Amino acid sequence: MANSERTFLAMKPNGVPWGLVGEIIKRFEQKGFHLAGLKFMQASEELLREHYTDLKDHPFFAGLVKYMSSGPMVAMVRYGLNVVKTGRVMLRETNPADSKPGTICGDFCNQAGRNVIHGSDPVESAE
């Protein structure tokens, strides 16, 4: 399929106990993005430092790693036509106050730094 690509998405530790896993999965299914893999997991700080290595020089890095390792998460890979760009639009702006209703962050987030989902961007990072 032309322009078919993969993206990595992770429902963060606060999204899992809030009961949002099914709703978020449903939104990607309804958009027509195929599931390549899904894993319920507890990420180690070592794995998270590697995953977020591009952010290591930012002042929020240590807090991000601590937050992401604080509870279970659901990691998944989705694929389809322009899934990275479309997925980012579905997710939100980084700050929930700037997110529009209908986006995942606009509907389910209320605090910057505690968004319920991570989505890779750009395509190279998603791969």
Side-chain angles (χ1 to χ4, degrees), residues 23-112:
E23 176 63 31
I24 291 170
I25 288 172
K26 177 182 171 184
R27 288 183 182 211
F28 282 90
E29 288 174 342
Q30 288 176 328
K31 197 69 175 173
F33 295 127
H34 304 283
L35 181 65
L38 184 137
K39 183 176 184 179
F40 182 77
M41 62 184 291
Q42 177 85 31
S44 69
E45 287 190 12
E46 180 181 353
L47 175 65
L48 292 163
R49 281 192 294 275
E50 180 182 335
H51 177 76
Y52 288 113
T53 192
D54 59 319
L55 302 175
K56 69 181 178 201
D57 295 328
H58 292 270
F60 59 82
F61 179 73
L64 173 65
V65 170
K66 184 176 179 179
Y67 163 60
M68 290 295 291
S69 64
S70 69
M73 57 187 282
V74 175
M76 65 178 162
V77 174
R78 292 270 172 183
Y79 68 95
L81 183 64
N82 299 313
V83 69
V84 174
K85 181 177 180 181
T86 305
R88 295 293 297 177
V89 170
M90 291 171 63
L91 296 182
R92 71 351 191 157
E93 299 296 324
T94 303
N95 184 342
D98 297 332
S99 294
K100 294 179 175 41
T103 65
I104 291 170
C105 187
D107 291 349
F108 304 121
C109 302
N110 59 16
Q111 181 182 354

